[in-house]
Amino acid sequence: MYAIGLNGFGGPEVMEWTVAVDPEPGPGEVLVEVAAAGVNRADVMQRRGFYPPPADASSILGLECSGTIVKLGAGVADWQVGDRVCALLAGGGYAQLVAVPVTQLLPIPEGMDAIAAAGLPEVAATVWSNLVMTAGVRSGQLVLIHGGGGGIGTHAIQVMRGLGARVAVTAGSTEKLTKCAELGAEILINYRTEDFVAVLAEQGGADVILDNMGAVYLQRNVEALAPHGQLVVIGMQGGTTGELNVATLLRKWGSVHATNVRSRPRVGPGSKAEIIAAVRAQLWPLVVAGEIVPVISTELPVTEAARAHEMLDESQTFGKVILRVGD
């Protein structure tokens, strides 16, 4: 097969479309012929050398894909060759073929384009595991989503509105904030010109904050929490080492969580299998009904993966960037 390989670590130019070894599905896995792959900031970090894949994962970039099952591994009974699927991956999506545990598969809803479906698994798993399974968001709560214009942000807005939560977002332009409002966000904060702590204080604070920035926002996020509020950190775009006045957290009876999906075990408590099972049972009906839709910024052929990464590096996108792999 062909896949995007890395010629060292660094800028987008280190990626190249090259020959790679065909994967084989192991027990409990299927082989998927990839139609498209979603591009995520974790891919950017791996390309730069800061986010190595788990030991049992493919070293090829790509944390989600869509396509068609072309081969079954031993013991697979609930899926068939020819099934249209999208999949959560620990790696391997930027390729013509990928082996996927069946516990990380989701059916592509009838009528949904496979290209669009490639942008769902990673954001769905991230948003549901963090905001619902970890923070337990409830109807009526106020949720602040940093980076509302990103792939996770655009999905999170829709999911939170579907659960009856109020949504605040930060973004870096009026255009992005307007689009966030169209998805259901009601409190719109331009982080270039406004202080989100002050804006949230007028609302009594946020019950839950989903943060992709990490260190740079740590203290301010805690200040922006409501009493008993929860901060969930899922990214490190603003650095890895921050300083926190613990007294602020204590006064609010607050809590800080930090999680990721990629390094979780395949099965067992807190696993990828557990997350995908919850997504399929509780979130996927809303996707099938068209109440939650993939927000796609740009589609590019996989041979232009470097351009896709440049777009994320330059924050040029609203929603997901998708790489078309199949014909």
Side-chain angles (χ1 to χ4, degrees):
M1 71 172 183
Y2 275 79
I4 291 291
L6 294 180
N7 183 22
F9 297 117
E13 70 279 357
V14 303
M15 295 187 291
E16 55 184 359
W17 186 238
T18 187
V19 175
V21 176
D22 287 8
E24 282 292 325
E29 295 182 340
V30 299
L31 187 66
V32 173
E33 184 176 38
V34 177
V39 179
N40 294 283
R41 291 200 177 273
D43 304 336
V44 173
M45 292 178 62
Q46 182 176 337
R47 185 204 78 214
R48 293 173 176 169
F50 301 136
Y51 194 28
D56 62 346
S58 169
S59 62
I60 296 170
L61 298 175
L63 301 184
E64 60 187 342
C65 74
S66 64
T68 304
I69 295 175
V70 293
K71 189 174 182 179
L72 306 179
V76 174
D78 296 333
W79 299 89
Q80 302 297 324
V81 170
D83 285 347
R84 299 171 69 242
V85 296
C86 53
L88 176 70
L89 310 171
Y94 293 17
Q96 292 177 318
L97 296 167
V98 64
V100 186
V102 294
T103 52
Q104 292 168 216
L105 294 174
L106 291 161
I108 297 178
E110 185 175 352
M112 180 177 288
D113 179 75
I115 306 300
L120 280 174
E122 194 273 342
V123 294
T126 298
V127 170
W128 197 263
S129 65
N130 285 286
L131 290 180
V132 179
M133 298 172 75
T134 296
V137 169
R138 303 184 303 278
S139 178
Q141 288 190 313
L142 177 58
V143 179
L144 171 62
I145 301 164
H146 285 300
I152 288 173
T154 54
H155 185 78
I157 293 168
Q158 297 179 77
V159 174
M160 292 299 95
R161 291 299 294 167
L163 295 178
R166 301 171 60 212
V167 179
V169 296
T170 61
S173 71
T174 300
E175 179 184 7
K176 287 186 177 182
L177 289 171
T178 298
K179 291 180 178 179
C180 288
E182 293 170 354
L183 291 174
E186 61 178 273
I187 300 171
L188 311 173
I189 305 166
N190 187 325
Y191 65 78
R192 299 184 190 279
T193 60
E194 298 177 275
D195 178 4
F196 71 84
V197 178
V199 174
L200 268 296
E202 296 174 359
Q203 304 291 327
D207 296 296
V208 179
I209 298 176
L210 185 67
D211 175 60
N212 59 354
M213 295 302 293
V216 70
Y217 274 7
L218 180 59
Q219 177 65 31
R220 294 174 66 206
N221 276 330
V222 171
E223 291 171 0
L225 289 175
H228 302 280
Q230 300 180 77
L231 167 63
V232 186
V233 181
I234 61 169
M236 302 175 288
Q237 294 179 42
T240 60
T241 303
E243 186 171 309
L244 173 64
N245 183 338
V246 177
T248 308
L249 190 65
L250 287 170
R251 283 197 301 270
K252 296 189 179 230
W253 291 40
S255 59
V256 179
H257 310 272
T259 78
N260 68 41
V261 173
R262 188 183 197 184
S263 64
R264 292 171 182 253
R266 289 189 177 188
V267 297
S271 64
K272 298 181 185 76
E274 185 178 75
I275 293 170
I276 291 299
V279 165
R280 186 170 183 180
Q282 300 174 64
L283 176 61
W284 222 239
L286 300 178
V287 176
V288 172
E291 297 178 29
I292 294 174
V293 299
V295 179
I296 308 301
S297 172
T298 306
E299 298 175 15
L300 294 169
V302 68
T303 51
E304 295 184 26
R307 175 59 187 146
H309 278 226
E310 287 172 358
M311 295 179 73
L312 264 67
D313 285 343
E314 298 165 6
S315 298
Q316 296 178 3
T317 61
F318 183 84
K320 295 298 290 280
V321 176
I322 303 296
L323 297 175
R324 297 189 304 270
V325 179
D327 296 332

